Amino acid sequence: MDKRIKEIRESAGLTQVEFGKKIGLARNTIANYETGNRIPSNIVINSICREFGISEEWLRTGNGEMYKIAEDQTALIVSDLLKEDNPFYDIILEITKTYQQLDSKSKKVLQDFSKELLKNMKEGKE
């Protein structure tokens, strides 16, 4: 786990002091984790994962992807968009209401259109 903690810190471009501040720990504690002299508690592991979007399984075992799966990130984005003080809230609400009023054939047309649009957008980025 020591090498993975250092990898997280370095990929974030942070010093040990800066990394420690993000999760409420001193520089020497981070140094001890990175050298393997200490093993972080469950609370520290949870803080690192939450603060840096890291997969807990990856941090603990090295298995899987370093960063949390896209669904977690999508949920955070959607949650932010659906806050009533967000200017997009009313737009998203009206789009959703209008979509629900459509018959199944119209919904299918919009779904197919959306798939093609996303496909074209992805091809344009490559």
Side-chain angles (χ1 to χ4, degrees), residues 41-73:
S41 68
N42 288 333
I43 291 172
V44 171
I45 290 170
N46 289 336
S47 293
I48 292 170
C49 292
R50 183 182 58 250
E51 183 67 31
F52 297 96
I54 302 299
S55 163
E56 185 175 339
E57 180 182 357
W58 178 84
L59 179 54
R60 289 182 185 275
T61 68
N63 295 327
E65 297 295 320
M66 179 177 179
Y67 293 98
K68 287 183 182 178
I69 56 174
E71 288 85 15
D72 288 348
Q73 294 167 348

Side-chain angles (χ1 to χ4, degrees), residues 77-119:
I77 292 167
V78 170
S79 174
D80 184 53
L81 285 173
L82 294 179
K83 291 179 182 172
E84 288 191 39
D85 62 338
N86 188 317
F88 292 110
Y89 174 82
D90 290 330
I91 294 168
I92 293 168
L93 186 61
E94 291 307 314
I95 289 170
T96 305
K97 285 179 184 178
T98 303
Y99 179 81
Q100 290 303 315
Q101 294 169 355
L102 298 173
D103 59 44
S104 59
K105 189 174 181 180
S106 298
K107 287 180 183 178
K108 177 78 170 115
V109 169
L110 278 176
Q111 291 167 2
D112 291 344
F113 172 79
S114 297
K115 286 177 188 175
E116 278 299 309
L117 178 61
L118 288 172
K119 179 181 157 191

Side-chain angles (χ1 to χ4, degrees), residues 22 38 51 66 74 110 120:
K22 293 248 183 213
R38 289 187 61 194
E51 183 67 31
M66 179 177 179
T74 301
L110 278 176
N120 290 340

